[in-house]
Amino acid sequence: MRMLNRQGRPSSPASVAPSENRALMLEEPLIFEQGQEGRTGVDFPPAGLKHDRLGGLRRSAIGLPGLSEPQVVRHFTRLSQKNFGIDSTFYPLGSCTMKHNPRLNEKMARLPGFADLHPMQPIETVQGALALIDELADWLLKLTGMHAVAMSPGAGAHGEFCGMAAIKMALEARGEGHRRRVLVPESAHGTNPATAASLGFTVDPIPALDGRVDLKAFEAKLGPDVAGIMLTNPNTCGLFERDIIAIAADIHKAGGYFYCDGANFNAIVGRVRPADLGIDVMHINLHKTFSTPHGGGGPGSGPVVFAESLAPYAPLPRIVREGDKLRLIEHAKDAEGAPFGRIKSFHGQMGMFVRALTYMLSHGADGLHQVASDAVLSANYILASLKDVMSAPFAGPCMHEALFDDKFLEGTGVTTLDFAKALIDRGFHPMTMYFPLVVHGALLIEPTETESKETLDEFIAALRDLAEAAKRGEADIFKQSPRHTPRRRLDETRAARQPVLRWRG
C-alpha cells in the first residue's frame, strides 16, 4: 500500500533485497543507504518563527536520509537484535560480572520519587532519598565491618582514586609524604597501577606465585618509602589471597596502608568482612556486586569503605542525622576529621543506590551469603567439568572465576582467539581472553550466581565439543569462525588502529 503524507511525499516502506539476507538474519544497510529523497514518516507543522534565530547564517540541506516510519523502526530494531546481551543468552564474560539484573531493581529505580530527583533540590524535599542512601551505607558498613563510607565515587576506578587519595592525605598528615612507592601484585586489576601512578606514586610490581602474591617477594620489597599495597581479593586469577592477613600485618608494621580492590566482592559478600582481614580502605562496585552489570551496562557506582585509620580523610559530602532529619555536610569546615574535598559533583549515582538497596533487601543477609556461595559453586562446577579436556593453570578450587590456559591447545594449530571465535558459532559470547596476563593464553570464565545448572551444562558441552574438535585436528573450523554471524572475522588490529568511523556516500 502506498501512502501519502500532508506534503504528498511517499511514506511506504522500502524492501531489502532478498538475495542479501540469510534466513531471518537480515543484512542491514546503513540508514543513509536506505534513505530516498522525498520519503518521510513524520509530518512537521509549518515553522511558526517569524525571525531567524540563527543570526542570519545561511542554511542548506543537511542530507538527512529520507525514511518511512516502518523503515526507521525496523532498522533500529534489527540493530538492537545484533547487540548480544545478557537478556538473550548466557554471557560468560569473566571479571565484569555480566549477570542478570532483576527487573524489580529497575522498577524501583524508575519510581518518580527517585528517578525525577534533581541534585539542586532543597534538602527538605529529598529526605527520603537521603534516608535511602544512609540505609545503603549502613548495609555496606555492616557487610564490610568498616568504620566510614564515601558514597559519591562513580565507578570502580574512581573508587580506587578516592581510596588512594585518602592514603596520600594520611601519609602527608603523618609527615611521611616521602612514602611514594606502592606495591601492586601481578594478580591485581589492571586499573590499580594506573590509579597509583595518577596520584604520583611509583608502582612496584610483586610477582605472582601459583596465581597468588609471592609472600617472600612482597616482604623483600617492604621499606621506609612504601606508601601501601593495592591488592585485589579475590584476585584476577580467580583465587582468594590466603596470606592476606599476614600481608596486612606486614604492610602495617612497615608503616604503609592496605588498599583492597573490592571489584570481586561478589565472591565473598556475606561470608568475609574485609575489616577482619586488616584492610584499611576498599571500593565496592555496586553496579557489579549488587545489581546491574558494567562494561557498557552502567552508569556505575563505586562507594569506598574506610577503616578507622583512614576514616577522617573520607571525602565529602557526608550524611549526618540531626534528630529525625538528615542533612549533607558539604564543606570541610563543617566536617570532623580532615576530608580531602569532593571527588565528584553532587552526591553519587542515585539510580544505582536504589538498585543496590533493592537487591540487598530482596535477598536479605542470608540471601547475600547464598549469592557468594552460588557464584563460587558455579565457577567450580565449570572448572571441574572441563579439567579433563581443558587445562587449568593452578591446582585446587577457584573462587567466582574459572581460569584456563592454552596448554590444551598445544600442537593443534588453534589459538585462544580461534577457540573464542568458534564459541560464537555455538551461541555463546566469548569469555575474557588473554587476561590475567600472568597466565599464557588465558580463558577467564565468570558464570555468576544467576545461571541455572542447565545453562551451565549447555555451556560446558559447547566448550567440551570445541576442545575435542581442536584435538582431532579440525583447526580449519576454528580459523574460519565465526561462520554464522552477520560479519565474519575482522582484522581486529587494523580495526583498532585504522577505524573507519564516518559514513561516506
Side-chain angles (χ1 to χ4, degrees):
M1 178 181 291
R2 184 178 177 83
M3 298 175 288
L4 294 177
N5 63 12
R6 189 166 54 200
Q7 283 77 35
R9 291 172 293 185
S11 61
S12 58
S15 63
V16 177
S19 60
E20 297 175 359
N21 301 327
R22 188 172 187 278
L24 293 178
M25 188 178 289
L26 303 185
E27 180 69 20
E28 189 61 34
L30 297 177
I31 198 166
F32 287 94
E33 295 169 338
Q34 299 182 52
Q36 292 185 16
E37 187 176 356
R39 175 171 288 134
T40 181
V42 180
D43 257 344
F44 290 107
L49 294 175
K50 296 181 179 178
H51 304 288
D52 191 335
R53 292 183 175 180
L54 296 180
L57 294 174
R58 292 183 64 85
R59 291 179 292 186
S60 58
I62 57 176
L64 291 176
L67 297 155
S68 66
E69 181 176 313
Q71 276 184 293
V72 173
V73 172
R74 290 171 183 169
H75 174 70
F76 287 105
T77 299
R78 286 196 289 261
L79 288 184
S80 72
Q81 291 168 340
K82 297 180 191 300
N83 186 21
F84 198 97
I86 190 66
D87 287 344
S88 56
T89 188
F90 177 43
Y91 206 105
L93 189 59
S95 82
C96 279
T97 319
M98 292 294 177
K99 65 181 181 183
H100 172 69
N101 176 45
R103 292 302 183 264
L104 174 64
N105 302 1
E106 295 301 313
K107 184 177 181 180
M108 294 299 104
R110 282 165 172 71
L111 289 174
F114 296 127
D116 297 342
L117 284 173
H118 191 283
M120 300 293 285
Q121 281 183 232
I123 197 78
E124 295 79 13
T125 67
V126 293
Q127 287 294 303
L130 294 181
L132 184 145
I133 298 172
D134 195 47
E135 183 173 352
L136 175 60
D138 187 60
W139 271 82
L140 295 178
L141 292 177
K142 284 185 169 62
L143 289 169
T144 59
M146 301 295 254
H147 193 77
V149 56
M151 299 297 290
S152 59
H158 202 206
E160 291 177 32
F161 189 91
C162 174
M164 292 305 293
I167 288 177
K168 186 177 182 181
M169 287 287 294
L171 289 172
E172 291 174 353
R174 282 166 36 184
E176 297 185 52
H178 63 278
R179 290 179 177 267
R180 308 300 298 164
R181 190 159 55 96
V182 172
L183 309 179
V184 183
E186 291 179 343
S187 55
H189 275 139
T191 48
N192 291 176
T195 296
S198 68
L199 282 158
F201 291 111
T202 300
V203 176
D204 192 353
I206 305 172
L209 180 65
D210 294 331
R212 297 180 173 87
V213 172
D214 184 332
L215 194 57
K216 289 185 177 178
F218 159 70
E219 291 170 345
K221 287 178 178 290
L222 294 173
D225 62 334
V226 169
I229 184 172
M230 294 186 78
L231 179 145
T232 302
N233 194 43
N235 66 29
T236 58
C237 294
L239 303 174
F240 190 87
E241 294 286 354
R242 55 190 168 213
D243 294 321
I244 190 168
I245 292 178
I247 291 170
D250 286 346
I251 197 74
H252 290 152
K253 187 177 180 181
Y257 290 101
F258 189 165
Y259 184 91
C260 182
D261 185 314
N264 294 335
F265 190 50
N266 61 311
I268 59 174
V269 62
R271 300 184 66 88
V272 178
R273 299 196 315 166
D276 298 335
L277 303 176
I279 293 164
D280 294 304
V281 56
M282 183 182 86
H283 79 264
I284 302 169
N285 289 3
L286 288 187
H287 53 278
K288 174 177 175 180
T289 297
F290 299 110
S291 208
T292 63
H294 66 164
S301 181
V304 177
V305 289
F306 300 83
E308 192 169 5
S309 57
L310 291 175
Y313 307 99
L316 301 170
R318 300 174 183 172
I319 296 176
V320 295
R321 182 173 290 278
E322 293 179 344
D324 60 348
K325 299 288 185 183
L326 295 167
R327 71 179 180 91
L328 286 167
I329 295 179
E330 304 208 53
H331 303 285
K333 63 181 178 59
D334 301 324
E336 295 182 0
F340 65 77
R342 303 182 73 103
I343 194 165
K344 184 182 181 184
S345 301
F346 305 118
H347 321 308
Q349 175 47 259
M350 190 66 204
M352 282 312 307
F353 294 159
V354 177
R355 292 180 179 92
L357 185 60
T358 304
Y359 186 92
M360 292 173 175
L361 295 176
S362 300
H363 286 79
D366 292 345
L368 293 179
H369 181 278
Q370 189 66 41
V371 162
S373 301
D374 290 348
V376 174
L377 178 63
S378 294
N380 278 287
Y381 182 62
I382 289 176
L383 184 67
S385 299
L386 292 168
K387 268 193 171 179
D388 61 324
V389 291
M390 296 173 68
S391 47
F394 308 117
C398 63
M399 293 297 287
H400 62 305
E401 294 168 316
L403 179 60
F404 298 94
D405 60 23
D406 59 357
K407 286 183 180 176
F408 73 102
L409 295 173
E410 284 180 357
T412 65
V414 177
T415 66
T416 292
L417 180 64
D418 299 332
F419 193 82
K421 295 295 184 185
L423 190 60
I424 296 174
D425 283 338
R426 300 299 182 103
F428 294 101
H429 192 285
M431 65 291 282
T432 296
M433 297 175 290
Y434 300 111
F435 184 83
L437 301 177
V438 293
V439 173
H440 195 273
L443 295 155
L444 187 63
I445 301 166
E446 183 170 9
T448 80
E449 79 283 1
T450 55
E451 299 298 340
S452 68
K453 181 176 180 298
E454 291 75 18
T455 298
L456 298 183
D457 285 338
E458 291 174 5
F459 180 66
I460 290 167
L463 289 177
R464 176 174 291 279
D465 285 348
L466 290 174
E468 291 174 347
K471 292 175 181 177
R472 287 196 302 268
E474 299 174 6
D476 285 348
I477 296 175
F478 293 87
K479 298 298 181 185
Q480 294 171 17
S481 295
R483 296 168 294 168
H484 305 310
T485 52
R487 291 291 177 272
R488 303 294 293 275
R489 194 184 303 198
L490 302 175
D491 182 337
E492 295 183 357
T493 302
R494 186 180 176 192
R497 295 179 179 176
Q498 298 176 328
V500 178
L501 303 177
R502 291 186 61 186
W503 176 81
R504 294 174 181 172

